[in-house]
Amino acid sequence: QMLGERAVDAKLWPGAYASGWRVVPKYRGAEKRCHWSYVSPEGARITSKSAALQAQPDGGLSAKAAQEEMPRMVSQSEEAKAALREAARLGLQLVRSSRSNTGFKCVAYNACYAKRPFKVQVTEGGRQLRLGDFSTAEEAALCYAKHLASEKAVAAAALMQVEDSADAQPLLGAGGGGGGGGG
């Protein structure tokens, strides 16, 4: 099974597929484990992305530059448009990231999952928490934005609870009236 244009460009660099690069399983059944080989336009089978970059005539400099210039994965599918509309309706902002190949924070692309290749994963209390898998980066980013909104709501509720309990407590040693003593 050979990967398509979008997956090849995501695994290598923008324009890799158009320039003749292909991504194929390293061995039978390897796609289940995401073990891939990179096939150059000349047909050479290369086992690592860094070696594939070095196999470029300029040592991969143009590929790296194209990767930095290219806007992150932005889909024009109906699902992506619906996710953007939903974010606007809820007043949520999708969190961008220049460090992610998807363009969105905590959203990763994994070609192993063809139907839902975008996953949302966060770290909470030192543990990885997977929030879900989605067919577009925008849907995944919306999930992350909802997660952030719920975290803020929980934090605000906890703060209000602390403030309410502080208001209900009598202030000790604050001079004036009240209890005890006598003599």
Side-chain angles (χ1 to χ4, degrees):
Q1 172 197 350
M2 198 179 312
L3 296 182
E5 180 177 0
R6 182 171 154 185
V8 170
D9 287 356
K11 285 197 160 301
L12 290 171
W13 54 83
Y17 186 90
S19 64
W21 284 86
R22 299 296 179 257
V23 177
V24 297
K26 281 187 178 180
Y27 50 85
R28 188 178 202 160
E31 61 275 5
K32 292 178 184 170
R33 291 194 163 100
C34 291
H35 294 168
W36 305 101
S37 287
Y38 308 100
V39 181
S40 74
E42 295 79 30
R45 200 174 183 109
I46 300 171
T47 59
S48 74
K49 182 178 176 178
S50 60
L53 277 169
Q54 291 173 355
Q56 292 289 89
D58 63 355
L61 294 176
S62 62
K64 287 180 184 176
Q67 205 165 21
E68 290 171 4
E69 288 176 16
M70 184 177 170
R72 301 299 179 181
M73 292 179 182
V74 176
S75 174
Q76 294 300 314
S77 70
E78 285 307 311
E79 293 91 352
K81 290 176 184 174
L84 295 172
R85 285 191 301 270
E86 177 74 0
R89 186 183 71 76
L90 296 172
L92 299 174
Q93 183 158 355
L94 305 184
V95 183
R96 292 280 182 179
S97 171
S98 60
R99 295 174 53 187
S100 170
N101 67 347
T102 65
F104 297 104
K105 185 172 181 179
C106 293
V107 175
Y109 177 80
N110 187 340
C112 283
Y113 306 106
K115 292 184 180 179
R116 299 168 69 105
F118 297 94
K119 73 174 182 176
V120 182
Q121 193 164 323
V122 297
T123 303
E124 288 186 356
R127 297 184 64 182
Q128 292 289 318
L129 175 63
R130 190 172 189 155
L131 300 180
D133 300 321
F134 302 88
S135 59
T136 69
E138 292 79 3
E139 290 173 301
L142 176 60
C143 173
Y144 180 65
K146 286 178 178 179
H147 173 75
L148 288 179
S150 68
E151 276 188 340
K152 287 180 183 176
V154 167
L159 181 61
M160 288 178 65
Q161 189 175 15
V162 167
E163 288 173 353
D164 288 347
S165 65
D167 290 343
Q169 299 277 331
L171 296 176
L172 299 177

